[in-house]
């Protein structure tokens, strides 16, 4: 495994962690008790883009590791 594959795997893993955090934040916002207390973080776009980055980066690094 060369350096670029390791970097893609590391950033893909970090993007996956960010996607989980954004998913939990979005879920928390949808289940809040006080409907008037909206937050300022755009959790849905953060979740979407970080999940997209995680899938692409982890997929490319897995492809290189598996010899594709």
């Amino acid at each position: 495994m060369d350096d670029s594959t390791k970097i893609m795997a590391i950033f893909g893993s970090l993007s996956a962690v960010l996607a989980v955090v954004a998913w939990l934040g979005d879920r928390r916002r949808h289940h809040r008790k006080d409907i008037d207390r909206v937050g300022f973080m755009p959790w849905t776009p953060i979740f979407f883009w970080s999940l997209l980055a995680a899938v692409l980066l982890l997929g490319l690094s897995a492809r290189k590791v598996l010899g594709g």
Side-chain angles (χ1 to χ4, degrees):
M1 185 182 329
D2 59 348
D3 288 338
S4 64
T5 306
K6 288 180 186 177
I7 291 171
M8 281 193 295
I10 289 169
F11 280 108
S13 300
L14 290 174
S15 295
V17 169
L18 180 62
V20 169
V21 169
W23 176 69
L24 290 173
D26 197 31
R27 187 174 188 280
R28 183 174 170 235
R29 181 190 324 205
H30 284 289
H31 295 300
R32 67 184 177 268
K33 293 183 183 187
D34 188 6
I35 198 78
D36 293 330
R37 293 189 65 196
V38 276
F40 64 91
M41 291 298 292
W43 289 119
T44 305
I46 292 172
F47 169 73
F48 175 76
W49 291 111
S50 60
L51 183 67
L52 180 68
V55 168
L56 289 175
L57 290 170
L58 290 174
L60 287 173
S61 65
R63 185 175 177 193
K64 281 192 172 188
V65 168
L66 296 175

